[in-house]
Amino acid sequence: MAEFFNEDILAYCLAKPGAWQDEPWEGDVVAKVGDKVFAFLGNGESIGLKLGRTREEADELVAVYPEDVTPSSHIGRFGWNRVNIGGKVPLDELHELIDASYEAIRNKLPKSKRPPV
């Protein structure tokens, strides 16, 4: 398992109902609910989150924090952003963004596979 540099963020993700840690690509830690990723944690310097149904919705956060929030590679067009940890995004807002990503992915799971909240 890869070494992870931001244990607090990882712990926050894993405290969600039904959340679990995986490493589908060597050195890239992710948090999943069911069989779906809700947070790409990599090495802990930034976090990839589902922050909109569309790229336009996700761009609202990019406009607020242009130095610390960018569209995610490959999946950015689907509303995923990369958020720098320890940048200008306050920790409480980062927690809210993790919550939103978790809920977006959890709600896409079949009802029989959704963990209770």
Side-chain angles (χ1 to χ4, degrees), residues 64-90:
V64 176
Y65 300 106
E67 295 174 9
D68 288 305
V69 180
T70 57
S72 294
S73 300
H74 309 293
I75 58 173
R77 67 182 180 274
F78 301 111
W80 287 84
N81 283 344
R82 177 131 318 263
V83 181
N84 289 334
I85 296 172
K88 294 188 180 184
V89 179

Side-chain angles (χ1 to χ4, degrees), residues 26-109:
E26 188 175 334
D28 285 330
V29 174
V30 301
K32 291 183 172 182
V33 59
D35 62 349
K36 304 286 184 192
V37 175
F38 72 91
F40 291 91
L41 296 145
N43 64 7
E45 295 174 6
S46 64
I47 183 170
L49 299 167
K50 174 79 169 157
L51 298 176
R53 292 183 305 255
T54 64
R55 181 70 252 149
E56 291 75 24
E57 285 182 13
D59 281 342
E60 293 174 15
L61 193 64
V62 174
V64 176
Y65 300 106
E67 295 174 9
D68 288 305
V69 180
T70 57
S72 294
S73 300
H74 309 293
I75 58 173
R77 67 182 180 274
F78 301 111
W80 287 84
N81 283 344
R82 177 131 318 263
V83 181
N84 289 334
I85 296 172
K88 294 188 180 184
V89 179
L91 184 58
D92 61 335
E93 187 169 357
L94 182 58
H95 285 171
E96 290 174 12
L97 297 174
I98 292 168
D99 296 346
S101 185
Y102 169 83
E103 285 300 317
I105 300 305
R106 181 191 167 277
N107 290 340
K108 288 184 176 186
L109 294 172

